[in-house]
Amino acid sequence: MPFSDRHLGPNPTAIQEMLGELGYESIDALIADTVPRSIRNEDLPGIDHAVSEHGLVQRLRAIAAKNRTFRSYIGMGYYDTLTPAVIARNVFENPGWYTQYTPYQAEISQGRLEALLNFQTVVIDLTGLPLANASLLDEGTAAAEAMALSLNQAEAGRNVFLVDKGCHPQTIAVVETRARPLAVDVRVVDPQEEPFDTSVFGTLFAYPATDGEVTDLRSAIRRAHDAGAKVTLTSDLLALTLLTPPGEMGADIAVGSSQRFGVPLGLGGPHAAYFAARADLRRGIPGRIIGVSRDAAGNRALRMALQTREQHIRRERATSNICTAQVLLAVMASMYAVYHGPEGLRSIAARIHDLTRTLATGLRRSGHEVLTRHFFDTLRVRPTAPGAEEVLRRASRSHINLRDFGDGTLGMSLDETVEPEDLATLLQLFRREETEEVSDSDLLCESVGPEGPDSLFEEVRRKSPFLEHPVFNRYHSETEMLRYIHRLAGRDLSLCTSMIPLGSCTMKLNATTEMVALSWPEFSHIHPFSPRDQVLGYLEIIQKLEQWLAAISGLPAVSVQPNSGAQGEYAGLLIVRAYHESREERHRNVCLIPSSAHGTNPASARMAGMKVVVVGCDDQGNIDIHDLRTKAALHGDRLAALMITYPSTHGVFEEHVQEVCDTIHQYGGQVYLDGANLNAQVGICRPGDYGADVCHINLHKTFSIPHGGGGPGVGPICVAEHLAPFLPSHPIISTSDSEQAIGPVASASWGSASILLISWAYIALLGREGIRQASEVAILNANYMVHRLEAHFDVLYRGLAGRVAHEFILDLRPFRKSAGITDEDVAKRLMDYGFHAPTVSFPVPGTIMVEPTESESRDELDRFCDALILIRAEIQQVEDGLSDRDNNPLKNAPHTAAAVVTDDWSHPYTREQAAFPASWTREDKFWPSVRRVDNAFGDRNLVCACPSVESYTETEG
C-alpha cells in the first residue's frame, strides 16, 4: 500500500461518497470551485516521485552513514548527554507526548502543564530568580529577548547594550541581529573593565564564559545597577548546581539552554532555552508562563498565565513575537531533573568538574599553558610542542573534535559522557611525541589549595539548596519514573485520543516512519559546529529539502535557519528591510497588515523596525481592496511590505490575491506571505507565482513535524531571487557567501536541524502526486464538514462558489444572546465528548475555527460533527427553557470522573448526560483531570513553580 493511502484519512470510496454529497463527480471539480483558476497549477516540477516506507528507511540508512560521529569537545553551549532510556522511549518517542497541541485548553493538558511547571521550578531553583517561563527557542533568542525586555524597561535616551566578550559567539551574533532594527548600539566588552554610563540600558554577562572562565561578577553587576542598567547572565544550568545562582549575585535576568539535561545534540536543535527574571519584570517576560490556579471545584489546576498570548492582544504594541516554545524538549529536560534529583544532578556536575581538573593538571604537567584559571567544565589551552595545528590533525585522525579559537589556542569542554580513558586519549593528542604513552600518574589531579588552579571556584561555590520539592526526590527508580511519565501523559488529550481540529494549526498525522531516524546516533549525536565534511548526510537532507520547498513555494532561495514560524516571519521582514536599504531606500518602513492577521505578524513587523498600518476586511472576510489601495497610495514611497496569509485567516481563497500583490509592487513594496495555511496550497498553487516575494513555511503544520505540546517548530523562509543575497548567515558554520546577508536569527546554522528529517521524509513518502492529493483531501474534508454542520451553525465566511479552503469558522455569537452560551462553553463541553476544541475566538471573537486536515477519516469527521450537532441540541434545550440557563451541561463542562460520582450532585441534568453524552463515550472515555480552570484567580495569585498545597490561598487583588 502506498504511503499516501496511510497518510490520508478517507479511503477512495469515502472520498467519492463525500464528493457526491457535495454535488461533485471529481475532486478536480471541487478544487475548481475553491481555488481561483488564475493561480492554479497543473503540475509540480522539482518534486520526486514517492518512495515506499521501507525504501525510505533504507535511503535514510545510506544518508546517515555519510555523517561521521566524532567525539566532540567543542562545547560553546552544546554538549553530548545521556538521555535516560525511560525518557527517550516514553517521552521523546511517545506520540502521547509529541502529538499534543499547545495547552490553550488547560483542562485536557494537565500532564504537560505539570511537566512544564517542573521545568520552570528547575530554572527558578538553579538560577535563584523567582520567575521563569516554559522555555524559549535557543540561548541566542533568549539573550535577544532579554535585551528587548531591558530596553522596554529603560528610560528614554538609553540605547547601549553591553555584551560580555566571553559570551558564545553565536549568542553575540543573534543579539546583534536583533539590535539593528531597534537602533540599539551593541558593544562587546570586558565586563570587569568597562565603565558604565547613563547611555547603557542593559548588559549581558557570561557565567561561565565561552572559554570556560568562571568569574565572580558581583562587582560588575553592582556597577551596572549603579548606572541604572539591567543585568542578564547567560548561565549553564548544570554548572549552577555548583555555582552561586545568578539571582544571588544580583542579576535581573538569567538565560541559557537546558540541552545538556538529556536532550540530544541533533546538529543544533531543537533544544529548550530558559528565561528567568525578577518578580517585578513578570509582565515583560516573553513566551509562556505556566501558573498554578484552581478549578471550579477549588482543586489545584494548572494553566498558561499572564502574557501567554500577548502578541495576539497587543499586536503592533507587543514587545515580543514569541508564539511557541520548545515544550517537548523542556519536558525532556524536566524529566531528566526529576529522574536524577538534586543529588544526582550535583553528582553529575561534580564528576565533570573533577575530570576537567584532572585534564588541566595533566596538560600543565606536559608543559602546556592552560589559560582558563577558574573553570567548571571547559579549558582553553595554548599548546607548546606540538602546536595547535598538529594537535588538531591528531584529533581529526582520532575522530575527535576540539574547538579552534584561531589564535593558536584550543578549547575542550567535557560532559557527562566522558570517562577517565577519554582523558588519556585527549592527553595523548598533546604529547610531544605522538607515541608517548599516558601513565596513571598523568591522570591524578593535584589538590586545590589557596593558590590552586581553580581556587576562586570557592568564592562562587553554591551554598543554597535546590529542587527540594518532593517531585524531584521521589521518582528515581525506573519503575516509579515510568509510572510518573505515563500518569502525566494520561491527563493530556493528544492525537492518540482523537482528532484535534484546530484552525490555522494543522494537527495532521505525524507518521512513525517520518520520526524513526531522529533517534539514530548518526543524526542525534552531531555537534552543530562540526566541520562540514563530517555532516555530509545532514547537508544532503537539508539541500534536498530546500530544493523541494523552493519548488513548492515557487520561490527559488531557501533558509531553514528560523526555528519557529514567528522567527520565520521576523527573518523574512529583516530580509525585506535589508533589500530596501541596499537600494538606498532606508525610509521604507511601513508594513500593511490585514486586521484578520495572526498576532505575530504585527509583532514581528514592530521588531523589524517597521510601522504597522492595519488594512480592513470587507463583509466577506476578504482584504478590503479599496482600503488597501488607499493606504498603499497614502504611504507610497515609505511602503516596505504587505503581510498576508493565504488562504486568508478566514479560511477562504481570496479571488483578488494577485491584484493585492500587484498593488504593493506598484508602490515598490514587497509582499510577505505567512505560510500558516500552506496546507491548502501545496501542489495546487504557489505563492511565488501569484506575487509573493517572501514566504515562511511552518514545517510543524503543513510538513508534519509534530507540535510536541507547543513546540518544537521550524519556520524556513523562501524568497524570490532578488532577495536571495539577504538570507541569514552564521558566524561559526557559514550558511551564506553573500556580504549582504542578514545576521543569524538562531543559535545554530541550520536551526533545529534534526527535525528537518521529518519534513524531508514527509515529502519523499508522498511524492509529487501525494502532496497535491493531501491538499485536495484537506479541502474536501473541510467542505464535507461544512456540509454536515451548516444546518446547525452559521458558517461565517465562504468563497465565491460557496466553498471554504481547508478550514472554516463557525459563528457561535448568536448563542450568547439566545442561551447565554459562549464559545468557551462549547469548547469545554467538547471535552466531555472526547475532543479537543477547535481554535477559539480567533480570528473572530466568539467563534470557533475548524481545520480537520487530510489525515482524519470520514468516520472521525462524522463523529466530531455529531458531537457539535449534539451540543447544538443542548443549546436548543436552553433556548427553549428546558435546560437551566446557568446550570446546564455546557456551563458546567468539563465533567471529571470525580464530579460525576460525588454524593453531592446538585445539577438539574443527569450524571449520564454529563459524562456520557454520546454513544462512543461509553466505549472509550477520555476524562478531563480537572474541572473548568479559574484563569483570573491564577493571574491574581501568580505561582509558577511547584508549591505546597497549603500555599494555595486567595489574596486580595
Side-chain angles (χ1 to χ4, degrees):
M1 179 181 289
F3 176 76
S4 59
D5 289 348
R6 304 288 191 191
H7 178 77
L8 300 175
N11 59 37
T13 300
I15 288 174
Q16 286 306 124
E17 291 174 350
M18 293 160 69
L19 285 167
E21 292 194 31
L22 293 172
Y24 295 100
E25 293 185 356
S26 70
I27 198 131
D28 288 340
L30 170 64
I31 299 303
D33 270 358
T34 306
V35 184
R37 179 180 180 83
S38 60
I39 67 171
R40 291 200 304 269
N41 291 325
E42 298 304 322
D43 192 20
L44 192 62
I47 304 297
D48 302 337
H49 293 291
V51 299
S52 67
E53 293 183 71
H54 174 73
L56 180 99
V57 173
Q58 296 303 110
R59 183 181 297 183
L60 274 172
R61 288 290 185 194
I63 293 173
K66 299 177 184 179
N67 290 332
R68 296 194 291 165
T69 51
F70 278 33
R71 188 74 174 80
S72 179
Y73 298 97
I74 296 173
M76 299 176 69
Y78 298 96
Y79 299 84
D80 214 346
T81 185
L82 300 174
T83 307
V86 67
I87 296 174
R89 173 65 62 88
N90 297 289
V91 177
F92 186 56
E93 298 175 353
N94 181 356
W97 282 100
Y98 65 69
T99 68
Q100 302 162 349
Y101 180 60
T102 302
Y104 291 134
Q105 297 296 333
E107 295 82 0
I108 51 175
S109 307
Q110 291 295 299
R112 94 201 73 142
L113 287 170
E114 180 169 326
L116 292 175
L117 191 73
N118 292 344
F119 176 83
Q120 291 175 180
T121 303
V122 171
V123 173
I124 287 168
D125 278 15
L126 291 178
T127 63
L129 289 161
L131 292 177
N133 69 13
S135 78
L136 289 177
L137 303 176
D138 56 32
E139 181 175 310
T141 303
E145 291 287 345
M147 176 187 68
L149 189 158
S150 300
L151 179 63
N152 290 327
Q153 297 282 322
E155 302 167 353
R158 291 178 180 252
N159 74 324
V160 174
F161 190 65
L162 301 181
V163 178
D164 188 342
K165 66 180 182 180
C167 291
H168 297 308
Q170 72 273 15
T171 300
I172 297 173
V174 172
V175 168
E176 289 174 335
T177 299
R178 182 74 69 88
R180 289 187 192 101
L182 301 178
V184 169
D185 180 6
V186 173
R187 300 176 187 172
V188 181
V189 300
D190 183 336
Q192 302 290 22
E193 300 176 359
E194 182 69 15
F196 296 89
D197 59 43
T198 55
S199 67
V200 178
F201 68 83
T203 66
L204 182 70
F205 296 155
Y207 178 66
T210 190
D211 62 1
E213 192 71 39
V214 176
T215 305
D216 187 343
L217 292 167
R218 291 180 180 92
S219 173
I221 292 172
R222 282 194 297 270
R223 288 188 290 115
H225 281 161
D226 289 344
K230 293 286 187 295
V231 176
T232 300
L233 263 58
T234 62
S235 299
D236 182 312
L237 282 183
L238 194 59
L240 293 182
T241 65
L242 303 181
L243 298 176
T244 299
E248 293 181 18
M249 279 196 165
D252 304 292
I253 305 168
V255 300
S257 173
S258 64
Q259 179 267 317
R260 69 190 308 177
F261 276 37
V263 181
L265 287 163
L267 197 67
H271 307 136
Y274 71 84
F275 191 108
R278 290 191 342 236
D280 61 311
L281 300 176
R282 56 199 275 172
R283 292 285 174 181
I285 295 176
R288 300 169 181 159
I289 293 178
I290 308 307
V292 180
S293 187
R294 64 186 182 189
D295 71 359
N299 297 315
R300 174 184 184 269
L302 309 176
R303 93 287 181 243
M304 295 195 293
L306 294 177
Q307 68 289 69
T308 295
R309 306 189 74 176
E310 185 232 29
Q311 75 277 6
H312 292 292
I313 300 167
R314 303 189 69 209
R315 299 178 74 80
E316 67 270 17
R317 295 181 295 108
T319 57
S320 171
N321 73 343
I322 292 295
C323 182
T324 187
Q326 298 281 28
V327 170
L328 183 66
L329 301 315
V331 168
M332 289 182 67
S334 75
M335 293 297 184
Y336 180 94
V338 168
Y339 196 41
H340 288 295
E343 292 306 316
L345 293 177
R346 190 182 290 109
S347 176
I348 291 169
R351 180 179 177 275
I352 292 171
H353 178 57
D354 287 344
L355 289 171
T356 309
R357 288 176 52 212
T358 301
L359 179 61
T361 297
L363 289 167
R364 290 191 186 95
R365 286 174 179 160
S366 296
H368 304 293
E369 184 182 3
V370 178
L371 301 175
T372 313
R373 295 178 58 245
H374 317 296
F375 51 79
F376 165 58
D377 64 2
T378 298
L379 303 174
R380 186 173 186 174
V381 182
R382 187 181 303 281
T384 51
E389 290 187 8
E390 175 59 24
V391 173
L392 288 171
R393 278 193 291 269
R394 293 178 183 179
S396 180
R397 288 197 299 268
S398 300
H399 285 201
I400 289 172
N401 285 330
L402 306 178
R403 180 178 178 184
D404 183 4
F405 282 93
D407 61 354
T409 66
L410 303 175
M412 287 169 285
S413 295
L414 307 191
D415 55 56
E416 66 170 322
T417 70
V418 174
E419 299 292 343
E421 52 266 32
D422 294 317
L423 299 188
T425 303
L426 285 172
L427 290 173
Q428 191 78 47
L429 301 177
F430 287 83
R431 288 303 199 205
R432 184 178 296 272
E433 299 296 332
E434 194 171 1
T435 57
E436 184 182 350
E437 293 185 1
V438 175
S439 66
D440 290 342
S441 62
D442 292 317
L443 298 176
L444 295 176
C445 182
E446 62 195 48
S447 61
V448 180
E451 304 302 324
D454 62 347
S455 57
L456 190 62
F457 200 90
E458 289 301 321
E459 295 183 25
V460 294
R461 187 174 294 280
R462 184 180 192 117
K463 299 178 176 62
S464 55
F466 58 91
L467 302 187
E468 295 181 295
H469 191 275
V471 74
F472 300 104
N473 295 278
R474 176 176 176 182
Y475 305 109
H476 298 162
S477 76
E478 183 165 336
T479 302
E480 289 288 339
M481 190 67 190
L482 177 67
R483 290 171 182 163
Y484 181 62
I485 290 172
H486 279 268
R487 185 161 65 250
L488 294 193
R491 297 174 184 168
D492 279 26
L493 189 150
S494 70
L495 284 176
C496 299
T497 307
S498 63
M499 71 184 292
I500 302 179
L502 288 148
S504 190
C505 289
T506 317
M507 297 291 292
K508 63 170 67 177
L509 170 71
N510 313 124
T512 305
T513 301
E514 295 163 4
M515 308 284 291
V516 67
L518 271 65
S519 299
W520 296 354
E522 297 93 334
F523 291 114
S524 63
H525 292 304
I526 303 256
H527 193 283
F529 303 141
S530 299
R532 281 178 172 268
D533 63 359
Q534 294 175 20
V535 297
L536 297 180
Y538 257 123
L539 292 178
E540 181 176 332
I541 293 285
I542 292 168
Q543 289 163 4
K544 176 58 75 172
L545 179 60
E546 289 177 345
Q547 291 171 14
W548 284 340
L549 295 179
I552 287 166
S553 68
L555 296 163
V558 180
S559 170
V560 298
Q561 189 181 104
N563 48 10
S564 80
Q567 292 300 94
E569 291 176 14
Y570 176 65
L573 292 176
L574 288 185
I575 287 169
V576 169
R577 177 189 172 97
Y579 168 73
H580 289 312
E581 289 178 347
S582 74
R583 294 162 55 87
E584 302 300 325
E585 294 185 319
R586 295 175 182 271
H587 56 277
R588 290 190 176 271
N589 69 340
V590 171
C591 185
L592 302 182
I593 300 179
S595 59
S596 62
H598 194 277
T600 56
N601 286 184
S604 295
R606 182 183 183 276
M607 288 168 54
M610 295 183 182
K611 176 184 176 182
V612 173
V613 174
V614 177
V615 177
C617 292
D618 61 24
D619 292 341
Q620 287 73 46
N622 301 320
I623 293 174
D624 185 329
I625 193 70
H626 175 73
D627 192 38
L628 176 77
R629 291 193 193 117
T630 299
K631 286 173 178 172
L634 176 65
H635 296 286
D637 64 352
R638 294 181 56 232
L639 181 60
L642 166 75
M643 297 185 78
I644 59 171
T645 301
Y646 198 73
S648 73
T649 311
H650 292 143
V652 176
F653 279 96
E654 298 185 48
E655 294 286 334
H656 55 239
V657 64
Q658 288 177 300
E659 183 181 353
V660 167
C661 296
D662 290 344
T663 299
I664 301 304
H665 291 149
Q666 175 186 344
Y667 292 97
Q670 299 290 289
V671 176
Y672 174 91
L673 187 125
D674 185 322
N677 291 342
L678 205 67
N679 205 48
Q681 297 188 71
V682 177
I684 297 176
C685 56
R686 307 195 307 171
D689 293 345
Y690 55 76
D693 299 292
V694 55
C695 169
H696 96 263
I697 297 175
N698 293 312
L699 297 188
H700 49 288
K701 295 182 181 181
T702 304
F703 295 95
S704 218
I705 291 176
H707 284 64
V714 182
I717 44 175
C718 308
V719 301
E721 188 172 355
H722 64 282
L723 297 180
F726 306 97
L727 286 171
S729 60
H730 198 277
I732 311 301
I733 304 295
S734 175
T735 55
S736 173
D737 297 327
S738 171
E739 294 182 358
Q740 295 177 298
I742 65 170
V745 295
S747 290
S749 299
W750 295 283
S752 294
S754 66
I755 54 176
L756 298 177
L757 294 165
I758 302 168
S759 296
W760 176 90
Y762 171 85
I763 299 172
L765 287 167
L766 284 176
R768 181 185 303 179
E769 300 82 6
I771 57 174
R772 178 185 175 96
Q773 191 178 11
S775 300
E776 293 170 341
V777 174
I779 292 171
L780 170 63
N781 281 357
N783 281 279
Y784 172 75
M785 293 183 76
V786 166
H787 172 72
R788 284 217 56 203
L789 294 170
E790 61 188 351
H792 308 277
F793 299 90
D794 292 334
V795 178
L796 201 53
Y797 300 113
R798 303 176 191 245
L800 289 182
R803 296 301 168 200
V804 299
H806 63 311
E807 61 189 6
F808 57 94
I809 298 173
L810 297 179
D811 192 356
L812 306 184
R813 291 173 295 183
F815 304 136
R816 180 185 287 272
K817 182 176 181 180
S818 67
I821 299 298
T822 67
D823 52 340
E824 182 182 19
D825 296 330
V826 173
K828 303 310 179 187
R829 183 58 171 157
L830 275 167
M831 298 176 191
D832 291 330
Y833 286 82
F835 286 107
H836 195 292
T839 301
V840 177
S841 283
F842 176 81
V844 181
T847 68
I848 56 174
M849 183 162 58
V850 182
E851 180 180 353
T853 84
E854 71 275 12
S855 297
E856 299 299 341
S857 68
R858 181 180 182 180
D859 287 344
E860 186 72 352
L861 301 181
D862 282 336
R863 196 165 69 93
F864 183 76
C865 289
D866 289 343
L868 280 177
I869 292 168
L870 288 168
I871 288 173
R872 178 64 184 94
E874 292 178 340
I875 296 172
Q876 189 69 49
Q877 292 277 308
V878 179
E879 291 173 328
D880 294 342
L882 301 176
S883 187
D884 188 276
R885 194 177 178 93
D886 299 315
N887 190 357
N888 59 64
L890 286 100
K891 283 297 182 186
N892 294 318
H895 298 84
T896 62
V900 298
V901 300
T902 181
D903 292 336
D904 181 21
W905 183 259
S906 59
H907 305 302
Y909 53 93
T910 67
R911 300 170 194 264
E912 181 180 25
Q913 186 180 357
F916 302 108
S919 59
W920 63 82
T921 58
R922 292 183 174 279
E923 300 171 8
D924 184 21
K925 175 69 177 177
F926 178 85
W927 291 98
S929 56
V930 298
R931 295 180 63 187
R932 195 173 303 194
V933 176
D934 186 340
N935 292 315
F937 174 84
D939 281 348
R940 289 196 306 269
N941 304 274
L942 182 62
V943 177
C944 64
C946 297
S948 62
V949 176
E950 290 76 19
S951 67
Y952 302 161
T953 55
E954 186 167 9
T955 60
E956 295 293 323

